[in-house]
Amino acid sequence: MALKAKSASETKAAELASALVRIADREGVPLQVGVDQLRQGNRCLTPLAIGQMFRKHRDSLEAALSERGYTLIDYADQGPGQGMEFAIGSASE
């Protein structure tokens, strides 16, 4: 079976998941992760891209978090200029 190439949006979703995992590993859980924290690690993760990746690839984001023992508790997007935030917790809680 041939490997399926990832689309650009799947690659960005993987980058978003990786950024969330790195922050959770460093900070510990539970925690709130805002767009500014995500952008510090990867400037390509713009607010628009983050929102789109969450809506389109939520399942893969949650799967990547659960592989590391984390769970997505909540996601809030209050619109342009007003902020977005991920709430991450331990999968065992």
Side-chain angles (χ1 to χ4, degrees), residues 8-86:
S9 67
E10 290 171 322
T11 300
K12 278 202 186 246
E15 291 173 4
L16 174 58
S18 176
L20 287 168
V21 166
R22 278 193 312 272
I23 292 168
D25 285 347
R26 182 179 63 235
E27 304 286 328
V29 290
L31 80 141
Q32 307 290 323
V33 180
V35 70
D36 292 333
Q37 286 176 288
L38 291 168
R39 293 210 49 173
Q40 286 175 359
N42 187 335
R43 302 304 282 164
C44 293
L45 294 175
T46 64
L48 178 61
I50 292 169
Q52 289 175 340
M53 293 312 100
F54 175 77
R55 287 185 290 281
K56 191 170 182 180
H57 298 287
R58 181 179 182 155
D59 293 341
S60 63
L61 290 172
E62 289 178 338
L65 288 168
S66 71
E67 286 177 9
R68 294 297 295 258
Y70 303 122
T71 186
L72 179 65
I73 297 171
D74 192 23
Y75 169 74
D77 186 349
Q78 296 158 5
Q82 298 187 17
M84 60 180 57
E85 188 172 76
F86 292 88

